[in-house]
Amino acid sequence: MPAGGYGVELDTGDGVLRTAVEVTGAGTRPHRYGFVVDFAPGRDIAGVVDNIRRLHLTDVQFYDWAYRHADLLGGGEEYADALDQPVALETVRRLIGAVHGAGSRALGYAAVYAVGPAEWDRWKHDAILAGDGAPYGLGDFLFLVDPSAPDWLEHFTGDLAAATEHLGFAGFHLDQYGYPKVARRADGGIADLAEAFEVLIDRVRERLPQSRLVFNNVNDFPTWRTSSAAQDAVYIEVWDPTTTLSSLGAVVARARSVAAGKPVVIAAYQHVYDSVPAPAADLATSFTMATLFSHGATQLLAGEADRILVDPYYVRNHEVEDSTAGLLRRWYDFLVEHGEVLTAGEVTDVTRSFAGAYNDDCDVSYASAVVATEAQPGTVWRRITTAGGRLVLHLVNLVGQEVQLWDGAKTTPAHVGTGTLRLRTVAGCVPRVRVADPDRTPRLVDVDVTVDGAYATAILPEPHVWQLVLVDLVPQEAS
């Protein structure tokens, strides 16, 4: 079968079961990220493997598997990590083997410039200092060094190489904390962290040429530098002020503009599950995923056997209810099935070139709802992209929502009725229009098209949270 995403349906007589498969080809580099946090001796790993397969996860982050931040393998075969969680390397190896056996990649977590108290005397000569002369850090738990210091780089890359050899990791998740941006070094020099991170990534690549590398651009810093470094995905962990659906979409758009075709992954932790019932939190997650997927990014959210992230310390995760598990399964299937028009590197936003009265090429309207170019509460948020010569409309129904915070509770979208799609036609062609919805009609379904002179119209089904509309202005048989 040609490379791409495919929906799979089985009619059991009592209903239709669905899943999706992805056929990868040369140059295909998807990154659907998950996580594991439990490395206790003897733990059962079957549920982790099931979740990887169910959600089509391509990469799994092994969070806090190491003995210490600056001494990854120094604890022997069994130890307590820096926050006293039990770790058995036998469990780590079993999990790595199981992840790889399920067709995914195991990436070990490693903080790129963090040193604990026990190792600090060895590294304090590489410290980066705050304005008061104290070393930057996380309280008295960790202290920060210049990640581009030559001796630190030699040590750090050596630790990663040893972990690859002795445990079998396929790559590493390289973490930072988002601060500082510029700092004084202990030797009096100045460390520009944007430059230092780029140096570090490239050095890790030199030491581990076959490993998959993912660096954390905390709150988009410094994506503009690290996106061109020798890594395999552009990963961003978002915090305030990236709080709204619009700002979330803007982060993805900026990242894709510099990613050079690399997949974009957003760590957007849904804290909302800690404060509201699952149905309201599930809707919040739906709008987050609709924003990220329609902009061409994926989300680090799901992991272990049945958990999602609600906190930056991944051990403090949230056990999903059945409604959340069903939501994730449906939406991740949808992401895989329609990946060519969602996350492919060549997908391009053309909203402001095609929609609107001046352009008059492609737009949608509703009798009882306003259509907006930005994510405004009370509107249908309309975006248009091109993918493989086709137009893709993304219609996110924000009617009935009072705020556009991506991590805020949401209510059931209001009814807006059917939509009218209007297209400028190509002479001699009747456009083909298909629609899909991760919650209602996940496969692409044709809708009737009427041509009247230079324009065509189609009546679109009512959107729920997110509706995808695929338009072939020149259908294949007419090309």
Side-chain angles (χ1 to χ4, degrees), residues 390-478:
R390 299 176 290 187
L391 295 180
V392 185
L393 280 81
H394 299 285
L395 305 170
V396 179
N397 182 10
L398 296 172
V399 178
Q401 308 302 327
E402 295 182 356
V403 295
Q404 61 147 322
L405 297 176
W406 62 263
D407 196 28
K410 299 292 188 295
T411 59
T412 301
H415 290 289
V416 298
T418 58
T420 300
L421 175 67
R422 185 172 183 267
L423 302 165
R424 189 190 298 271
T425 61
V426 175
C429 295
V430 177
R432 185 184 185 188
V433 177
R434 289 172 284 173
V435 299
D437 180 316
D439 289 322
R440 294 182 170 178
T441 311
R443 69 156 74 177
L444 286 165
V445 175
D446 283 277
V447 297
D448 292 335
V449 177
T450 301
V451 175
D452 183 8
Y455 291 89
T457 58
I459 303 302
L460 304 177
E462 182 178 46
H464 179 49
V465 172
W466 170 37
Q467 185 179 87
L468 182 153
V469 183
L470 183 61
V471 177
D472 291 279
L473 289 173
V474 181
Q476 187 173 0
E477 60 271 16

Side-chain angles (χ1 to χ4, degrees), residues 43-207:
R43 71 153 294 186
D44 183 6
I45 64 175
V48 173
V49 176
D50 288 345
N51 203 36
I52 290 169
R53 290 177 169 146
R54 181 168 51 248
L55 300 182
H56 320 289
L57 302 178
T58 63
D59 297 83
V60 177
Q61 182 186 148
F62 282 51
Y63 180 86
D64 274 10
W65 65 274
Y67 173 62
R68 295 292 182 267
H69 293 75
D71 185 10
L72 302 185
L73 292 170
E77 283 295 307
E78 291 193 12
Y79 49 83
D81 73 11
L83 288 172
D84 211 30
Q85 297 295 309
V87 177
L89 291 187
E90 184 274 333
T91 300
V92 174
R93 292 186 186 97
R94 279 195 297 121
L95 275 166
I96 291 172
V99 167
H100 293 170
S104 188
R105 293 170 290 238
L107 307 187
Y109 173 95
V112 301
Y113 57 177
V115 177
E119 298 80 32
W120 183 236
D121 281 347
R122 178 183 174 188
W123 296 109
K124 61 185 179 182
H125 65 280
D126 284 330
I128 47 178
L129 308 177
D132 60 2
Y136 275 103
L138 280 72
D140 59 359
F141 172 58
L142 290 172
F143 307 101
L144 305 188
V145 299
D146 177 0
S148 64
D151 56 344
W152 171 256
L153 279 177
E154 183 65 24
H155 165 77
F156 183 68
T157 59
D159 252 9
L160 298 184
T164 303
E165 178 182 355
H166 295 295
L167 299 176
F169 282 120
F172 292 93
H173 180 98
L174 306 175
D175 194 26
Q176 56 132 337
Y177 305 122
Y179 62 88
K181 274 68 174 181
V182 180
R184 179 77 64 182
R185 284 177 42 91
D187 63 6
I190 296 294
D192 179 334
L193 273 294
E195 178 181 354
F197 289 144
E198 184 178 25
V199 169
L200 177 134
I201 296 167
D202 289 339
R203 277 292 304 276
V204 175
R205 171 59 68 209
E206 290 174 10
R207 188 70 178 264

Side-chain angles (χ1 to χ4, degrees), residues 280-363:
D282 286 348
L283 280 167
T285 298
S286 296
F287 282 102
T288 300
M289 290 191 294
T291 300
L292 295 176
F293 295 177
S294 67
H295 280 78
T298 58
Q299 181 181 12
L300 172 59
L301 180 65
E304 280 290 333
D306 55 358
R307 304 302 171 106
I308 57 172
L309 293 177
V310 296
D311 191 274
Y313 180 48
Y314 291 5
V315 176
R316 288 196 289 262
N317 51 53
H318 176 80
E319 184 176 356
V320 302
E321 297 185 23
D322 288 345
S323 65
T324 309
L327 168 73
L328 294 172
R329 185 175 62 251
R330 292 193 307 274
W331 282 64
Y332 279 53
D333 282 349
F334 193 84
L335 175 66
V336 171
E337 182 172 350
H338 304 296
E340 298 100 305
V341 297
L342 294 176
T343 57
E346 66 271 14
V347 174
T348 304
D349 189 310
V350 296
T351 305
R352 288 172 173 79
S353 301
F354 279 69
Y358 182 85
N359 297 312
D360 201 24
D361 290 300
C362 176
D363 216 336

